């Protein structure tokens, strides 16, 4: 069987490989937040907005952002019926309560009428999730509704680093926003993320939370650096012998996407941890290449759009005024094709992603009052938007 181009196409290069190797050798020095603070300032300048603080995951950043908005005590937060368990956990761990609302099928964002209908006296915030880096059809209407009803807005930009709407970066519109550097995201440190506060009071709380957050232990940071080296060889290098060696050397230490306790009821310590300098240096190095990465993702999207339209396959387009990040290229397919995606994978020579398969992906869940979200869970698959230049489907 021929190798499939990987879905989790990574932006790791030799530069991050060498950096990870060097950081492992002087880990005690890299276990402060000196470089983290420098990265946060650069991130704020790059966005032109807000106060940024980095943590050990997008989900950790989301939990902190919710705490920064003081949304504990079972405060209701509206979430789309097309999301993942990490998001629900972050809300629960911060003491907030998820309230599902349905999505629309134009660009997979929250539906403004569904949001209005989901508001209860306990609702305090709306979490707008920019799925696959797209801007939802009703984004502006939801901002307006939240303003009218006195609700806070949380932008989940885990998929949308670098996306813009009407000239402003996503993340600048909400009271708070979160970004992810997990291994499937626009940039990767394997795990990591940023919480951004635009509201002055939330910024003060976020900074205090970051100040009080412990750093991960040295062996945890080391395992993450090992995972960076592993992923460079296995996912980015195109060197089969190097990948084999990396698997043998480090395979057992590679960090998972989710830890077992995230499927249970306990709070994994990572939800409270600050990003150390060692990880921030890796994120910072990739920020240099972000514009080039986004340009490639957009060119590949134009290629896939043409490909899908020629075949009569349902796909999505940017709404007026938006420049999506296109973390993935979502397709609207028959449920049978989603259930057995291997035919599509073999025909295209790329791995096909299935998220989200339930409103709490990957955990089974039914939200009957979100029929469009449930339908999307049955029908949305996604294609990679960063392919090796030699791949037959790579954009020219
Ligand atoms: C929409 C969305 N939000 C938040 C997260 C959490 O990000 P992280 O994996 O960095 O914790 C994810 C996870 O992958 C996600 O898909």
């Amino acid at each position: 069987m021929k190798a499939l181009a990987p879905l989790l196409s990574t932006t790791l290069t030799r530069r991050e490989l060498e950096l990870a190797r060097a950081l492992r050798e002087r880990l005690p020095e890299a276990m402060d937040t000196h470089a983290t603070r420098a990265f946060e300032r650069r991130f704020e300048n790059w966005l032109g907005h807000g106060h940024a603080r980095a943590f050990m995951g997008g989900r950790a950043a989301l939990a902190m952002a919710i705490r920064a908005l003081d949304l504990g005590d079972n405060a209701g937060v509206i979430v789309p019926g097309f999301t993942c368990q990490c998001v629900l956990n972050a809300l629960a761990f911060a003491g907030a309560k998820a309230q599902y609302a349905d999505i629309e099928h134009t660009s997979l964002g929250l539906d403004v009428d569904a949001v209005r209908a989901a508001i209860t006296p306990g609702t305090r915030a709306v979490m707008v999730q920019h799925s696959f880096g797209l801007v939802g059809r009703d984004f502006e209407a939801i901002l307006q509704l939240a303003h009218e009803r006195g609700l806070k807005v949380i932008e989940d930009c885990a998929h949308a680093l670098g996306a813009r709407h009407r000239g402003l970066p996503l993340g600048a519109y909400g009271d708070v926003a979160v970004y992810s550097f997990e291994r499937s995201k626009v940039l990767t440190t394997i795990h990591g993320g940023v919480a951004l506060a635009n509201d002055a009071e939330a910024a003060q709380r976020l900074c205090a939370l970051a100040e009080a957050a412990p750093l991960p232990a040295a062996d945890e940071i080391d395992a993450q650096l090992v995972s960076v080296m592993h992923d460079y060889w296995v996912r980015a290098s195109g060197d089969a012998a190097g990948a084999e060696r990396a698997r043998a050397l480090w395979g057992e230490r590679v960090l998972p996407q989710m830890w077992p306790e995230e499927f249970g009821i306990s709070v994994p310590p990572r939800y409270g941890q600050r990003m150390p300098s060692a990880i921030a240096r890796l994120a910072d190095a990739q920020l240099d290449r972000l514009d080039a990465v986004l340009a490639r993702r957009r060119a590949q999207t134009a290629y896939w759009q043409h490909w899908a339209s020629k075949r009569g396959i349902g796909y999505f387009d940017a709404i007026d005024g938006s420049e999506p990040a296109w973390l993935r290229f979502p397709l609207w397919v028959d449920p049978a094709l989603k259930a057995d995606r291997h035919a599509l994978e073999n025909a295209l020579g790329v791995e096909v992603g299935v998220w989200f398969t339930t409103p709490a992906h990957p955990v089974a869940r039914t939200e009957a009052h979100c029929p469009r979200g449930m339908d999307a869970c049955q029908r949305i698959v996604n294609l990679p938007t960063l392919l090796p230049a030699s791949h037959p489907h790579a954009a020219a």
Side-chain angles (χ1 to χ4, degrees):
M1 205 178 79
K2 62 182 183 289
L4 302 176
L7 185 71
L8 305 185
S9 20
T10 180
T11 47
L12 296 172
T13 63
R14 271 210 101 85
R15 184 172 172 207
E16 286 74 44
L17 173 74
E18 297 308 335
L19 196 51
R21 207 196 313 271
L23 286 161
R24 284 189 79 200
E25 275 162 25
R26 44 190 173 77
L27 203 46
E29 274 172 57
M31 282 189 58
D32 62 10
T33 54
H34 193 74
T36 310
R37 285 298 299 122
F39 169 67
E40 289 162 346
R41 280 190 289 270
R42 188 171 171 215
F43 196 87
E44 290 163 359
N45 285 336
W46 177 78
L47 277 173
H49 273 269
H51 296 264
R53 288 295 181 274
F55 298 93
M56 285 308 276
R59 60 202 92 164
L62 181 56
M64 290 296 182
I66 289 167
R67 290 174 65 191
L69 287 177
D70 200 15
L71 294 179
D73 278 341
N74 248 0
V77 178
I78 292 180
V79 299
F82 186 63
T83 190
C84 53
Q85 182 69 7
C86 295
V87 163
L88 301 173
N89 280 347
L91 262 65
F93 296 156
K97 183 171 143 237
Q99 295 180 295
Y100 276 100
D102 210 356
I103 60 166
E104 36 80 12
H105 281 170
T106 306
S107 36
L108 304 173
L110 275 168
D111 176 284
V112 68
D113 293 326
V115 172
R116 193 178 291 107
I119 297 172
T120 65
T123 306
R124 300 264 313 279
V126 183
M127 192 198 83
V128 176
Q129 176 181 296
H130 302 296
S131 301
F132 306 114
L134 284 154
V135 179
R137 179 195 72 190
D138 294 347
F139 183 39
E140 291 180 24
I142 291 167
L143 292 173
Q144 178 65 28
L145 175 67
H147 179 72
E148 285 163 15
R149 303 294 284 267
L151 303 177
K152 298 286 185 190
V153 174
I154 301 159
E155 280 188 84
D156 181 342
C157 302
H159 297 188
L161 178 65
R164 301 176 77 80
H165 185 62
R166 304 216 183 279
L168 280 183
L170 293 190
Y173 288 90
D175 296 283
V176 294
V178 296
Y179 302 85
S180 164
F181 309 138
E182 186 264 338
R183 63 156 59 76
S184 65
K185 300 307 189 306
V186 175
L187 303 180
T188 183
T189 58
I190 307 299
H191 282 290
V194 162
L196 186 85
N198 294 315
D199 162 298
E201 216 177 294
Q204 210 174 20
R205 282 173 173 275
L206 179 65
C207 296
L209 286 163
E211 197 68 28
L215 291 169
D219 64 328
E220 291 176 279
I221 301 177
D222 190 58
Q224 189 151 327
L225 295 172
V226 162
S227 303
V228 166
M229 294 163 68
H230 172 275
D231 273 35
Y232 166 76
W233 285 110
V234 171
R235 297 178 189 279
S237 70
D239 173 341
E244 205 44 51
R245 248 192 337 267
R247 281 198 187 93
L249 266 176
W250 300 312
E252 279 178 17
R253 292 195 68 203
V254 171
L255 298 179
Q257 201 266 337
M258 285 179 82
W259 278 265
E261 56 275 45
E262 293 182 77
F263 298 100
I265 50 164
S266 60
V267 182
R270 282 181 164 254
Y271 275 75
Q273 288 170 351
R274 185 95 164 98
M275 182 185 284
S277 288
I279 306 303
R281 298 249 339 248
L282 291 160
D284 192 65
Q286 289 167 79
L287 207 51
D288 294 345
R289 298 195 296 277
L290 182 55
D291 287 342
V293 167
L294 291 167
R296 277 184 63 199
R297 290 187 181 280
R298 288 172 182 148
Q300 187 63 42
T301 294
Y303 174 94
W304 285 133
Q305 285 176 329
H306 183 64
W307 174 88
S309 93
K310 273 203 334 212
R311 286 159 184 78
I313 300 174
Y315 64 95
F316 298 84
D317 215 338
I319 63 157
D320 268 2
S322 74
E323 297 165 74
W326 294 111
L327 177 70
R328 306 275 169 230
F329 184 69
L331 291 175
W332 181 261
V333 300
D334 193 83
L337 186 60
K338 176 155 181 166
D340 177 16
R341 63 188 185 281
H342 302 298
L344 186 60
E345 294 195 319
N346 287 328
L348 286 176
V350 301
E351 276 181 42
V352 172
V354 291
W355 59 97
F356 302 110
T357 53
T358 88
H361 181 88
V363 176
R365 182 165 186 139
T366 302
E367 289 295 326
H369 74 294
C370 299
R372 289 185 297 273
M374 293 301 295
D375 203 18
C377 291
Q378 299 292 307
R379 290 171 178 274
I380 293 289
V381 295
N382 60 78
L383 305 181
T385 53
L386 273 182
L387 293 179
S390 58
H391 194 278
H393 282 289

